[in-house]
Amino acid sequence: MPDDLSLDVVDMDRDGDLDVVVGEHNLAHPSRARLMIFENLDGKGLSWARHVVYTGDEHHDGAQAVDIDGDGDLDIISIGWGHPRVLLYENKAIDRGASP
């Protein structure tokens, strides 16, 4: 079980409702730590789908969504406690040519 989580609330899929980005902080087993998006399916927060973006990086006060590469979609940037890296997870799920 992770020690704690980092969290951001944004519209990751550009459907007009808020989704939740969660990064697990697991120093005991960083290879098990996950970065996940909980997709708000009904727009009311009553139905959610979990999408695991990546497993293997621990997150500490990271997992923030931002359009880091300026292409119009939200990417996820994060930091960890047990490593010196800045982690970037580029959003490749949204077609840049499609309208929101």
Side-chain angles (χ1 to χ4, degrees):
M1 188 72 174
D3 297 327
D4 59 37
L5 306 172
S6 58
L7 175 81
D8 201 2
V9 179
V10 295
D11 185 4
M12 282 300 293
D13 54 6
R14 300 188 314 180
D15 65 353
D17 59 37
L18 293 175
D19 308 299
V20 179
V21 177
V22 176
E24 294 179 328
H25 175 63
N26 187 342
L27 284 176
H29 303 285
S31 64
R32 295 183 198 165
R34 298 170 295 175
L35 176 65
M36 299 171 284
I37 297 170
F38 288 88
E39 179 186 2
N40 186 346
L41 295 176
D42 64 1
K44 298 176 184 178
L46 301 174
S47 180
W48 300 87
R50 181 180 65 192
H51 304 280
V52 177
V53 175
Y54 190 79
T55 301
D57 291 324
E58 62 91 10
H59 306 271
H60 177 77
D61 295 334
Q64 299 296 301
V66 62
D67 184 8
I68 197 82
D69 54 3
D71 64 357
D73 59 26
L74 292 173
D75 309 296
I76 302 170
I77 192 164
S78 186
I79 59 172
W81 185 266
H83 61 79
R85 301 181 316 270
V86 174
L87 306 169
L88 173 63
Y89 306 89
E90 183 182 0
N91 186 344
K92 295 185 181 252
I94 293 179
D95 181 3
R96 292 188 253 288
S99 56

